[in-house]
Amino acid sequence: HGLLGEVWDDEMSSSMLGSRLRKVVQNYQAMNKYGVQLSGPGGVSSRPKLSGPELLCQLKDNVEVMTLTADLQPFSALPWAAQLPPKPLTSDLGPYKSCAVVSSAGSLRYSGLGKEIDSHDAVLRFNAAPTAGYEKDVGSKTTIRLINSQVMASDDHRFLSSSLYSSGVLVAWDPAPFSADLTQWYNRTDYPIFTQYQRYRRLHPLQPFYILHPRFEWQVWQRIQDNMAEPIQKNPPSSGLLGTVLMMSLCEVVHVYEFLPSRRKTELCHYYQRFYDAACTLGAYHPLLYEKNLVKRMNQGSDRDIYTHGRVTLPGFSRLNC
Ligand code: C5P
């Protein structure tokens, strides 16, 4: 592989995984918890491989970052509807010039990327990822925190009381059935996102807090599947890709850190935890392998940026002429 070490290959497939992880991924590929319906023959694309600019335009044209607002059914009829924001996230936030998306990967450890990350106009972080004690590697600015419903509901994350969640804008999501309307989802969420949302809003009424419309996550899923040659996991994309697409709709340029692993690549799952599992980087439940293939193809930065900084550069949707 020459002078540069290996960087993410955009044709990664489950056949390249170790046998343990390959079996786990294959099980998830066969499972269909959310009732995903495939479009097209076998649901697998036989179309020619799109170029990076074509993929970017396809994403821009087919995906909309939607959030729940107080006027939407069934929420409008519920007593707590007024806790939901009156306007969608995309009309309240941005536009930002330059943004950072900070994956929580273990390879951020000892990266020294903190200053660079903080130099962006807006920084998005995920779930329980802390900055305190890790400033040198991940920075300290948090503009948006994208959290999943599992983190909101689990006792060990202390979502309602931990100061980790109290800075910046919160955005939450929960996997919904593939073709469910909001009422069906409301009655059958994966985790109790709505009870936790109401509790949090009562405790922190001034902090902006949005909930993603579940249609968004499946629109992103469809972009991945339509551009892969094999069936991907029929589960929603990881927070990492959802947050990246969210920032592409708010920012002129988006820098994603350690989503495509750098020379520091490690089986350490998160930079903030002593837990090792290759599935964190390669995916098991989430179609993370394929998300990374897609991001690699859309990257406008160099392979060297990936190798040394774990950095991918993506244009914001406003900057694309499709
Ligand atoms: O684990 P968590 O979902 O909180 O991490 C945030 C995101 O960072 C993941 O959804 C995934 O996209 C990305 N990630 C990664 N490699 C890791 C850990 C996280 O790509 N080792």
Side-chain angles (χ1 to χ4, degrees):
H1 271 268
L3 293 172
L4 201 61
E6 264 182 85
V7 297
W8 192 270
D9 166 6
D10 71 17
E11 304 253 24
M12 268 293 278
S13 92
S14 59
S15 67
M16 296 162 182
L17 300 173
S19 65
R20 180 193 68 96
L21 197 52
R22 185 166 64 239
K23 276 177 201 140
V24 178
V25 168
Q26 278 165 357
N27 277 335
Y28 274 119
Q29 279 169 327
M31 219 184 287
N32 194 355
K33 179 178 176 190
Y34 303 100
V36 170
Q37 280 153 34
L38 297 169
S39 46
V44 174
S45 167
S46 52
R47 276 170 279 177
K49 193 171 164 180
L50 297 185
S51 68
E54 286 171 328
L55 279 175
L56 286 161
C57 282
Q58 206 189 60
L59 198 61
K60 177 183 174 169
D61 292 342
N62 292 281
V63 173
E64 190 195 347
V65 178
M66 290 164 281
T67 55
L68 303 184
T69 44
D71 59 302
L72 284 175
Q73 289 250 47
F75 308 101
S76 53
L78 299 171
W80 59 274
Q83 288 190 336
L84 287 169
K87 288 196 290 169
L89 173 136
T90 46
S91 50
D92 288 340
L93 295 185
Y96 304 107
K97 276 205 165 72
S98 175
C99 296
V101 172
V102 187
S103 86
S104 302
S107 48
L108 277 161
R109 209 73 206 269
Y110 312 118
S111 69
L113 286 168
K115 277 210 182 88
E116 173 172 332
I117 289 169
D118 278 347
S119 75
H120 296 288
D121 301 306
V123 177
L124 180 128
R125 301 182 193 276
F126 298 100
N127 295 318
T131 55
Y134 303 94
E135 292 89 347
K136 215 171 168 294
D137 295 329
V138 303
S140 57
K141 183 190 282 190
T142 303
T143 315
I144 303 177
R145 185 175 291 273
L146 180 58
I147 55 177
N148 61 45
S149 52
Q150 190 173 7
V151 165
M152 291 171 75
S154 101
D155 289 334
D156 28 291
H157 285 105
R158 311 195 153 282
F159 172 64
L160 298 174
S161 57
S162 166
S163 63
L164 187 57
Y165 305 99
S166 57
S167 58
V169 173
L170 291 176
V171 182
W173 71 282
D174 173 83
F178 186 71
S179 10
D181 60 33
L182 290 177
T183 305
Q184 290 166 319
W185 173 49
Y186 184 71
N187 292 319
R188 192 156 76 87
T189 59
D190 246 15
Y191 293 90
I193 183 171
F194 294 111
T195 43
Q196 288 299 86
Y197 180 80
Q198 290 166 63
R199 286 183 183 145
Y200 192 93
R201 293 286 288 146
R202 251 177 270 133
L203 293 166
H204 311 265
L206 299 179
Q207 188 180 6
F209 194 167
Y210 299 85
I211 297 177
L212 285 172
H213 194 301
R215 201 183 303 149
F216 167 66
E217 78 219 24
W218 291 116
Q219 285 176 342
V220 175
W221 183 89
Q222 196 69 58
R223 286 309 96 224
I224 311 166
Q225 180 62 86
D226 281 2
N227 289 289
M228 294 301 142
E230 63 183 345
I232 70 168
Q233 291 93 320
K234 295 184 187 74
N235 295 324
S238 75
S239 299
L241 187 64
L242 297 178
T244 300
V245 177
L246 189 156
M247 289 310 248
M248 288 171 82
S249 59
L250 297 179
C251 312
E252 284 179 24
V253 58
V254 179
H255 303 272
V256 190
Y257 293 94
E258 293 288 2
F259 184 66
L260 302 187
S262 68
R263 62 186 169 194
R264 291 176 296 277
K265 76 169 176 274
T266 168
E267 292 203 352
L268 180 65
C269 181
H270 295 126
Y271 66 84
Y272 54 87
Q273 259 176 347
R274 230 184 263 116
F275 170 68
Y276 293 81
D277 188 350
C280 296
T281 302
L282 301 174
Y285 170 87
H286 296 293
L288 187 56
L289 199 70
Y290 309 102
E291 300 172 24
K292 294 186 184 206
N293 289 347
L294 206 67
V295 167
K296 178 67 172 30
R297 285 160 66 185
M298 296 189 297
N299 178 32
Q300 298 192 330
S302 65
D303 278 0
R304 174 149 285 279
D305 281 355
I306 298 172
Y307 187 64
T308 59
H309 289 72
R311 181 178 64 216
V312 156
T313 305
L314 299 169
F317 292 141
S318 68
R319 272 217 342 210
L320 294 171
N321 283 316
C322 299

